[in-house]
């Protein structure tokens, strides 16, 4: 996929009736019924003749016509007040035949042409009906589907909320949370009203193309304006006042139509490339899962039993069952050593074996175990408030554990004094495994450093102080569907998911011979290194596509969109 905003295109020029050369965007007038020209489908059609060019409306002339129609629509409604244009953007230079304007000037002049939804008390769920007049909300705007949803109100309530009623061609804008999303109501839209989270714009249909305004509202220029002007702490909030202060660059209607057509054409090409990249991403994800699954089922490399049968190994090798017995013995010895110096004595509890009847069969030489059997302890980090400083001991939270890596650079820091007061369980050691237990659960990483750091309650730690198993093999097991599916099946919480460390410790995992674990890890790393390289390329191209989309929008509303731009 390639896209180049600077691709050579026909010169932007316009020849006036006097033969003077001006900027060359499409300059043909809006088609008139019964007088369509074969030349209006491209910018070259704008050069048909001097007489034809003299009829073209510039942005300023179009705005004057819109304002005149607005005045006419106002007759009989009291004293008319001419709306003023917002302050132009000083860092944006418009083409000579464009003009700055605003939504108040472009409104169709009807009452409530720019209107936010009613107060929430007017549209409680208790007044909803199974049919009648539709309630338009963020769900329709975000989905881009005016037919979605089944919330309705009665005729009586609809009549009382006439100021919030919508009609075909109205532009709906999301005001809260996901701000600035836009939906244009089609000609066959269901009559209804907007809810408090939306604003409607009823603009002059003879002079303003709604799709042009939608593209404008999605442009980087407008998004930056909204970001500066929007109110709200944790989420942005727009309002009518902010929308009225938005400067709008207005070209002729024919150029609006051309910008819409050219932008849609370029976006279609761009989106086809993005869709292809998304398919590659999905295929890589499936391949990653298949590799991890094969690794946990003994299908990725020849097993120790197979090699022994072929004569490539000593017929005697430590099976997974023998390895597990050794692990359990070392686990008990480790516990006894800790108890010898402990202030309070505890009795040793033998960890339970997994329920094997529900587990699939394993290759010869493998066995099933649990995380309780392998580990000395499965616990989680501190819950107390900690002081934060610019430089100090890293505090690792769930966001700092991902894809086998621990992000120390992006972590908050605490003081050495506070760190030393923490319990031993809050300070992981090299060889332990971290796994996220709150939020995005199930992400894991091996601690491969002796540096000081601590974890908070969103991260669980698997102590493997006496376990000889290959840590990267254990990480492979955690990342595979064998572990991920039961993790998410047992997840608790609604808004934020939680993983119970007790549930996790009882989960089963396969235990192959130790030598086989090493060979499995090497093969997984070899295959997934290729996947990671391809994922990086795909990710870079998706980011590039986003930048190209923003570039197209930015050029469209500064009059610099080029014809035939290669996307």
């Amino acid at each position: 996929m390639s896209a180049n905003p600077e691709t050579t295109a026909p010169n932007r020029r316009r020849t006036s009736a006097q033969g003077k050369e001006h900027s060359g965007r499409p300059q043909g007038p809006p088609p008139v019924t019964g007088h369509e020209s074969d030349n209006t489908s491209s910018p070259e059609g704008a050069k048909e003749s001097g007489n034809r060019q003299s009829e073209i409306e510039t942005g300023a002339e179009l705005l004057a016509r819109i304002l005149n129609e607005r005045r006419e629509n106002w007759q009989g409604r009291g004293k008319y007040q001419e709306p003023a244009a917002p302050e132009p953007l000083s860092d944006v230079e418009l083409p000579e035949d464009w003009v700055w304007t605003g939504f108040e000037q472009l409104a169709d002049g009807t009452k409530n042409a720019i209107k936010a939804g009613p107060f929430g008390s007017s549209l409680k769920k208790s007044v909803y009906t199974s049919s009648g007049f539709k309630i338009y909300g963020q769900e329709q705007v975000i989905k881009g589907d005016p037919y979605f949803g089944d919330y309705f109100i009665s005729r009586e309530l609809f009549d009382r909320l006439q100021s919030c009623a919508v009609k075909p061609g109205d532009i709906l804008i999301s005001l809260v949370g996901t701000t600035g999303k836009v939906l244009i109501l089609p000609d066959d839209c269901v009559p209804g009203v907007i809810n408090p989270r939306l604003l409607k714009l009823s603009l002059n249909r003879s002079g303003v193309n709604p799709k042009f305004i939608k593209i404008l509202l999605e442009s980087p220029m407008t998004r930056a304006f909204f970001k500066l002007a929007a109110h709200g702490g944790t989420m942005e909030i727009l309002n009518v006042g902010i929308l009225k202060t938005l400067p709008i660059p207005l070209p002729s209607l024919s150029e609006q139509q051309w910008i819409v057509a050219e932008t849609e054409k370029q976006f279609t090409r761009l989106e086809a490339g993005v869709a292809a990249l998304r398919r590659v991403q999905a295929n890589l994800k499936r391949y990653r899962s298949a590799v991890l699954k094969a690794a946990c089922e003994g299908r990725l490399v020849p097993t120790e039993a197979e090699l022994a049968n072929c004569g490539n190994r000593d017929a005697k090798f430590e099976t997974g069952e023998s390895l597990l017995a050794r692990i359990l013995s070392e686990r008990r010895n480790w516990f006894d050593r800790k108890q010898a110096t402990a202030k309070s004595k505890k009795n040793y509890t033998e960890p339970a074996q997994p329920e094997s009847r529900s587990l699939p069969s394993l290759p010869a030489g493998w066995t099933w175990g649990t995380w309780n059997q392998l580990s000395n302890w499965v616990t989680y980090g501190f819950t107390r408030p900690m002081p934060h400083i610019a430089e100090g001991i890293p505090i690792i939270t769930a966001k700092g554990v991902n894809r086998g890596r621990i992000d120390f650079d992006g972590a908050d820091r605490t003081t050495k004094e506070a760190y030393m007061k923490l319990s031993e369980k809050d300070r992981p050691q090299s060889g332990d495994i971290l796994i996220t237990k709150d939020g995005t659960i199930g992400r894991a990483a091996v601690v491969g450093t002796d540096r000081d750091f601590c974890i908070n309650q969103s991260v669980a730690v698997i102590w493997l102080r006496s376990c000889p198993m290959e840590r990267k093999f254990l990480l492979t097991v955690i990342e595979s569907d064998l572990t991920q599916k039961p993790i998410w099946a047992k997840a608790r919480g609604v808004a934020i998911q939680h993983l119970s460390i007790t549930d996790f410790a009882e989960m089963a995992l396969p235990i192959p011979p130790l030598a086989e674990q090493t060979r499995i890890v090497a093969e997984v790393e070899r295959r997934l290194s290729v996947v990671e390289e391809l994922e990086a390329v795909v990710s870079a191209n998706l980011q590039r596509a986003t930048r190209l989309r923003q570039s197209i929008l930015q050029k469209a509303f500064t009059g610099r969109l080029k014809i035939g731009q290669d996307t």
Side-chain angles (χ1 to χ4, degrees):
M1 178 187 66
S2 106
N4 181 7
E6 299 304 328
T7 302
T8 303
N11 290 332
R12 295 160 39 84
R13 59 186 182 276
R14 183 185 75 201
T15 306
S16 68
Q18 288 76 29
K20 293 182 180 178
E21 193 173 272
H22 298 285
S23 62
R25 298 175 308 282
Q27 299 294 337
V32 179
T33 304
H35 297 279
E36 294 186 3
S37 166
D38 293 337
N39 293 324
T40 58
S41 60
S42 74
E44 300 306 319
K47 307 174 198 173
E48 184 177 321
S49 69
N51 290 335
R52 179 70 174 273
Q53 289 296 331
S54 64
E55 299 172 359
I56 297 171
E57 269 187 324
T58 64
E61 292 166 344
L62 172 60
L63 179 59
R65 176 167 64 82
I66 291 172
L67 290 172
N68 187 55
E69 291 178 9
R70 188 179 189 278
R71 272 183 231 100
E72 292 174 354
N73 288 337
W74 194 272
Q75 289 181 6
R77 289 167 51 193
K79 185 179 179 181
Y80 178 77
Q81 184 175 354
E82 191 76 43
E87 189 71 24
L89 297 178
S90 58
D91 57 343
V92 177
E93 183 179 352
L94 296 183
E96 63 183 33
D97 49 357
W98 291 34
V99 66
W100 288 107
T101 183
F103 283 131
E104 284 192 288
Q105 291 187 327
L106 298 181
D108 62 10
T110 59
K111 191 176 182 181
N112 301 307
I114 305 175
K115 184 73 171 67
F119 289 112
S121 58
S122 301
L123 278 178
K124 293 180 179 179
K125 284 195 174 182
S126 59
V127 303
Y128 291 0
T129 59
S130 59
S131 61
F133 293 85
K134 190 176 184 69
I135 300 174
Y136 291 92
Q138 283 186 310
E139 58 269 31
Q140 287 83 24
V141 175
I142 293 172
K143 282 180 173 289
D145 182 1
Y147 310 106
F148 179 78
D150 54 1
Y151 291 158
F152 300 91
I153 56 174
S154 64
R155 158 67 76 175
E156 180 184 2
L157 183 54
F158 175 73
D159 289 341
R160 291 209 308 266
L161 295 176
Q162 269 299 300
S163 64
C164 301
V166 297
K167 60 181 181 294
D170 279 356
I171 299 172
L172 308 186
I173 304 174
S174 174
L175 297 179
V176 181
T178 309
T179 57
K181 288 287 186 179
V182 180
L183 175 68
I184 301 171
L185 292 181
D187 291 339
D188 62 346
C189 67
V190 179
V193 297
I194 54 173
N195 76 5
R197 290 176 171 259
L198 294 186
L199 176 144
K200 68 162 183 168
L201 293 174
S202 299
L203 303 182
N204 183 298
R205 295 294 299 276
S206 70
V208 182
N209 187 323
K211 289 184 177 180
F212 174 81
I213 297 300
K214 182 179 187 297
I215 296 170
L216 169 69
L217 289 170
E218 294 171 347
S219 70
M221 178 179 72
T222 304
R223 296 302 306 165
F225 182 89
F226 284 163
K227 190 171 184 65
L228 287 173
H231 305 293
T234 56
M235 63 180 177
E236 293 181 0
I237 300 176
L238 297 178
N239 56 42
V240 172
I242 292 174
L243 266 293
K244 287 181 177 180
T245 61
L246 174 67
I248 297 176
L250 183 69
S252 66
L253 183 58
S254 61
E255 187 158 3
Q256 292 177 43
Q257 293 164 342
W258 179 82
I259 287 172
V260 168
E262 187 66 17
T263 301
E264 288 179 344
K265 180 178 73 175
Q266 295 189 28
F267 280 177
T268 298
R269 295 173 180 172
L270 192 59
E271 285 161 6
V274 168
L277 289 171
R278 296 294 186 196
R279 288 193 295 272
V280 173
Q281 260 188 340
N283 289 337
L284 290 173
K285 184 177 180 180
R286 283 192 290 270
Y287 178 72
R288 174 187 285 274
S289 295
V291 169
L292 297 177
K293 185 174 187 290
C296 295
E297 294 176 350
R299 297 184 292 105
L300 196 62
V301 298
T303 66
E304 287 295 294
E306 291 170 343
L307 293 174
N309 290 336
C310 294
N312 295 329
R313 286 282 191 282
D314 191 327
K316 294 182 179 180
F317 62 90
E318 184 182 46
T319 64
E321 188 174 359
S322 298
L323 174 59
L324 178 58
R326 179 158 66 93
I327 290 170
L328 289 171
S329 176
E330 288 298 323
R331 184 181 190 271
R332 176 63 186 265
N333 293 338
W334 180 89
F335 177 84
D336 291 342
R337 289 194 300 272
K338 294 287 286 185
Q339 283 297 296
T341 58
K343 293 180 180 179
S344 58
K345 304 301 180 181
K346 297 179 181 179
N347 293 324
Y348 181 76
T349 302
E350 194 71 42
Q353 296 181 355
E355 179 54 63
S356 58
R357 286 180 300 179
S358 61
L359 297 172
S361 60
L362 291 172
W366 288 42
T367 193
W368 287 104
T370 68
W371 290 98
N372 255 341
Q373 290 179 306
L374 299 188
S375 66
N376 308 102
W377 198 10
V378 179
T379 185
Y380 57 88
F382 63 82
T383 58
R384 71 179 71 175
M386 293 286 283
H388 285 60
I389 58 175
E391 299 293 335
I393 308 295
I395 302 172
I396 299 302
T397 64
K399 68 180 182 181
V401 180
N402 194 20
R403 282 283 181 93
R405 299 179 179 88
I406 302 172
D407 180 15
F408 291 105
D409 294 336
D412 291 332
R413 300 293 202 267
T414 192
T415 63
K416 182 74 172 180
E417 181 183 10
Y419 169 78
M420 294 306 297
K421 289 180 180 179
L422 290 172
S423 165
E424 188 180 8
K425 75 179 185 65
D426 306 326
R427 301 180 291 180
Q429 294 181 11
S430 180
D432 292 344
I433 292 179
L434 306 184
I435 180 167
T436 57
K437 60 174 284 290
D438 295 327
T440 306
I441 59 177
R443 299 190 309 205
V446 177
V447 179
T449 178
D450 291 321
R451 72 182 294 176
D452 290 338
F453 73 96
C454 55
I455 57 174
N456 77 350
Q457 74 269 25
S458 67
V459 179
V461 57
I462 307 167
W463 280 25
L464 299 166
R465 311 289 166 87
S466 62
C467 179
M469 284 190 65
E470 173 66 56
R471 301 301 193 264
K472 290 185 178 179
F473 174 77
L474 295 176
L475 188 63
T476 296
V477 173
I478 293 175
E479 291 178 341
S480 73
D481 285 346
L482 177 70
T483 304
Q484 290 295 312
K485 284 184 176 180
I487 279 178
W488 284 97
K490 292 179 177 292
R492 302 169 186 178
V494 180
I496 299 178
Q497 297 285 283
H498 303 281
L499 169 64
S500 162
I501 58 173
T502 301
D503 289 341
F504 175 79
E506 293 172 351
M507 290 180 186
L509 74 157
I511 302 176
L514 205 53
E516 194 171 334
Q517 293 177 33
T518 302
R519 290 188 289 108
I520 289 172
V521 167
E523 184 63 15
V524 168
E525 288 183 338
R526 185 185 72 80
R527 296 194 184 203
L528 295 192
S529 65
V530 177
V531 171
E532 288 175 359
E533 288 177 7
L534 291 172
E535 285 176 332
V537 172
V538 171
S539 178
N541 276 289
L542 286 171
Q543 292 175 13
R544 183 164 176 257
T546 299
R547 292 194 299 270
L548 284 169
R549 182 183 180 88
Q550 298 304 310
S551 176
I552 291 168
L553 290 170
Q554 187 69 14
K555 289 180 179 294
F557 294 101
T558 53
R560 296 183 293 118
L561 186 63
K562 296 187 177 182
I563 305 163
Q565 182 172 309
D566 179 22
T567 311

